[in-house]
Amino acid sequence: MSSLRTMRPSPFRVLILGGSYGGLSAALNLLDLSQHKDPRCGKKIEETESDNLVRTPNTNIDITIVDERDGFYHLIGSPMAMASESHMEKFWVKYEDIPALQEPNIHVLHGSVQAVDLSTKTATLALHGSTESTPLNYDYLVTATGLRRVWPVVPQSLRRKQYLFEIGDHLRNVQTAKHGVVVVGGGAVGIEMAAELKVLQPETEVTLVHSREHLLSAEPLPEETKITALELLSETGVNVLLSHRLESTVEVKTNDGTSKCVELTFTNGHTMKASEVVMAVSRSTPVTGFLPAEVLDEEGYVKINSDLTFPPGLPNAADHFAVGDVVKWSGIKRCGGAMHMGYLAATNIHQLMTQNAEFMRLDEIPPMIGLAVGNKALSYWPAGGTTTGEDVMQAFFGKDLGFSICWNYLQLGERI
Ligand SMILES: Cc1cc2nc3c(=O)[nH]c(=O)nc-3n(C[C@H](O)[C@H](O)[C@H](O)COP(=O)(O)OP(=O)(O)OC[C@H]3O[C@@H](n4cnc5c(N)ncnc54)[C@H](O)[C@@H]3O)c2cc1C
């Protein structure tokens, strides 16, 4: 079915805030749909036609992606980037070097979103290198700005060049850590950081300390999964101290007077020394301060309907979408979830453009996890239970902590 709206002379303007897993998935799946191609992250067109999700050829669209960074950063790979120079270089690709984005109707702006006005459909941007705010009007908006995470969980640089210095300094520090490295925090990030460091630099003494009696204590996972994570981590050679809550760190003098040394004191009285202390314990907060308060829950997550639109009752709510880590939804935050939501939002935006009233809906997501622990990985989901092994590593992360899997899934290396 074709409609007058799809044939209108001026293109539909789609603004995507955040150009990572969720945002890129929304942009590229929408590009596919607008050209009557199978969406790269979803069902083939014939399959969805039976769901009444009818495609019309060649919808006229214009997509703008705004991101604070000058490129796609493979966030999942952070633990590997922090331990290996070659991966550090590979995991940040400038947007101008991503073939899939070099399309006449895709524009990437380097800047930060400051405010969104739902009633006038205007976003205010602070573009990199400019002191003035830039307003941008849109027909449809996708918020995919993720969570704000602190160093060293995530590099804070906004340009690739600066990022190479930031991680490079960290790499030099851990490579010369004469008194070892202590990673504080036994969540998924701390486990992966400690394991990658040990595997890529086996001569370095690496200790992971955690305040609770189980690793992954904050996650809604079975105890068996948490115990398996401990076994895998210990296998890599990382020393694990559970029930150790860090009280203080103080820099102390060493005998040689040259190497850095920090003394850590725990609330149970235990003390130890290390050259580097990596804090992997911070709470992450959604980046949504630019949205009206009515859209957000008390923690700042975007309240969405199952079709990923903003809550009803707000101006133009049905034209505003949110995907990925920023949304209030069930399940552990995962990049696979972000990419899936990007695909759903793209489909539903395309349905709106083509005046079709059937929308795809996001199902409840059960707790599930894929965790890379050195050369092996652990996976858990309710139907499959806990599995581990090198084959699980290969299936979930490949050889580069998921970079190639995500790159290929989003088809970032290909022009449409
Ligand atoms: C160390 C680590 C390891 C992880 N490992 C795994 C794993 O193994 N498997 C897994 O599934 N998940 C993993 N995750 C979680 C996964 O990374 C997230 O679920 C995923 O990144 C969410 O994608 P997103 O697109 O919603 O947000 P993000 O990837 O956080 O992207 C948000 C984007 O928005 C941009 N942005 C932010 N604020 C603004 C603004 N104001 N204006 C413009 N742009 C803005 C950012 O620069 C960024 O590019 C891990 C996370 C971390 C930190």
Side-chain angles (χ1 to χ4, degrees):
M1 181 183 88
S2 140
S3 75
L4 283 177
R5 280 184 85 189
T6 53
M7 288 187 235
R8 68 182 204 166
S10 57
F12 289 105
R13 297 156 304 171
V14 181
L15 177 59
I16 298 185
L17 308 175
S20 183
Y21 308 100
L24 291 180
S25 170
L28 293 168
N29 280 291
L30 187 53
L31 187 71
D32 294 335
L33 291 166
S34 73
Q35 300 189 12
H36 202 57
K37 292 189 163 42
D38 290 334
R40 62 195 69 201
C41 301
K43 290 185 183 178
K44 296 206 179 313
I45 291 173
E46 314 83 79
E47 292 173 45
T48 50
E49 270 167 353
S50 60
D51 298 346
N52 278 336
L53 292 167
V54 185
R55 318 283 174 221
T56 43
N58 303 331
T59 323
N60 195 5
I61 59 168
D62 196 73
I63 301 172
T64 302
I65 301 168
V66 185
D67 202 290
E68 289 182 337
R69 298 188 181 124
D70 68 2
F72 165 66
Y73 175 59
H74 179 54
L75 185 57
I76 294 176
S78 274
M80 203 175 226
M82 300 270 186
S84 143
E85 202 160 327
S86 58
H87 291 99
M88 162 183 89
E89 301 229 0
K90 181 174 175 179
F91 289 172
W92 185 306
V93 188
K94 289 179 81 170
Y95 289 118
E96 66 203 44
D97 295 328
I98 298 180
L101 299 178
Q102 311 315 310
E103 297 292 335
N105 52 352
I106 295 195
H107 320 280
V108 184
L109 300 178
H110 184 196
S112 173
V113 57
Q114 296 177 314
V116 170
D117 184 333
L118 272 60
S119 50
T120 59
K121 292 191 175 179
T122 312
T124 307
L125 311 177
L127 294 178
H128 186 76
S130 165
T131 50
E132 286 173 21
S133 297
T134 306
L136 199 66
N137 296 319
Y138 57 85
D139 297 305
Y140 301 102
L141 179 106
V142 180
T143 300
T145 40
L147 303 181
R148 182 75 65 208
R149 298 175 162 104
V150 298
W151 172 262
V153 174
V154 170
Q156 303 295 301
S157 306
L158 301 178
R159 288 182 302 124
R160 186 173 187 275
K161 209 169 167 184
Q162 193 189 351
Y163 151 85
L164 295 178
F165 283 116
E166 184 183 12
I167 305 248
D169 284 347
H170 172 80
L171 267 174
R172 264 184 301 284
N173 290 342
V174 292
Q175 277 162 356
T176 54
K178 229 172 131 177
H179 310 282
V181 176
V182 171
V183 177
V184 181
V189 172
I191 295 171
E192 290 195 346
M193 284 181 111
E196 287 304 326
L197 195 57
K198 187 67 194 172
V199 168
L200 293 165
Q201 294 178 42
E203 66 293 346
T204 305
E205 184 81 2
V206 181
T207 306
L208 180 109
V209 298
H210 187 55
S211 58
R212 304 301 182 95
E213 65 175 306
H214 286 298
L215 296 178
L216 299 170
S217 51
E219 303 296 357
L221 295 167
E223 196 172 309
E224 181 209 356
T225 312
K226 299 177 181 183
I227 292 170
T228 309
L230 173 62
E231 287 166 0
L232 281 189
L233 187 60
S234 303
E235 260 181 46
T236 64
V238 170
N239 310 311
V240 183
L241 298 178
L242 295 172
S243 305
H244 275 62
R245 183 176 292 278
L246 184 65
E247 188 171 64
S248 62
T249 56
V250 55
E251 204 153 321
V252 292
K253 284 218 164 82
T254 52
N255 291 342
D256 61 17
T258 54
S259 54
K260 181 181 164 194
C261 188
V262 175
E263 184 169 87
L264 298 94
T265 303
F266 299 91
T267 52
N268 60 9
H270 182 73
T271 61
M272 67 182 295
K273 292 192 170 63
S275 295
E276 282 298 318
V277 180
V278 177
M279 299 298 288
V281 282
S282 74
R283 221 172 134 260
S284 309
T285 48
V287 188
T288 51
F290 49 82
L291 291 174
E294 299 85 337
V295 182
L296 309 175
D297 78 348
E298 60 290 350
E299 291 180 275
Y301 288 95
V302 184
K303 296 184 276 189
I304 50 161
N305 301 310
S306 63
D307 60 5
L308 296 152
T309 53
F310 283 11
L314 294 160
N316 300 311
D319 296 334
H320 291 80
F321 293 74
V323 303
D325 281 5
V326 287
V327 304
K328 182 180 172 58
W329 201 257
S330 52
I332 297 173
K333 305 285 183 204
R334 291 170 52 252
C335 88
M339 292 189 285
H340 178 61
M341 289 184 223
Y343 153 66
L344 295 184
T347 304
N348 291 344
I349 290 172
H350 195 254
Q351 290 297 93
L352 288 170
M353 290 173 175
T354 52
Q355 296 189 323
N356 287 303
E358 294 287 328
F359 296 106
M360 283 198 149
R361 308 222 166 246
L362 181 64
D363 293 328
E364 290 300 323
I365 304 174
M368 45 186 171
I369 194 168
L371 187 71
V373 194
N375 296 321
K376 294 184 183 170
L378 169 161
S379 76
Y380 168 80
W381 74 96
T386 307
T387 51
T388 63
E390 290 182 15
D391 54 332
V392 181
M393 182 70 168
Q394 192 52 38
F396 277 75
F397 297 99
K399 291 193 183 325
D400 52 11
L401 224 45
F403 176 85
S404 300
I405 292 176
C406 293
W407 180 269
N408 293 336
Y409 186 57
L410 290 171
Q411 298 175 20
L412 296 180
E414 293 163 38
R415 296 286 305 269
I416 196 159

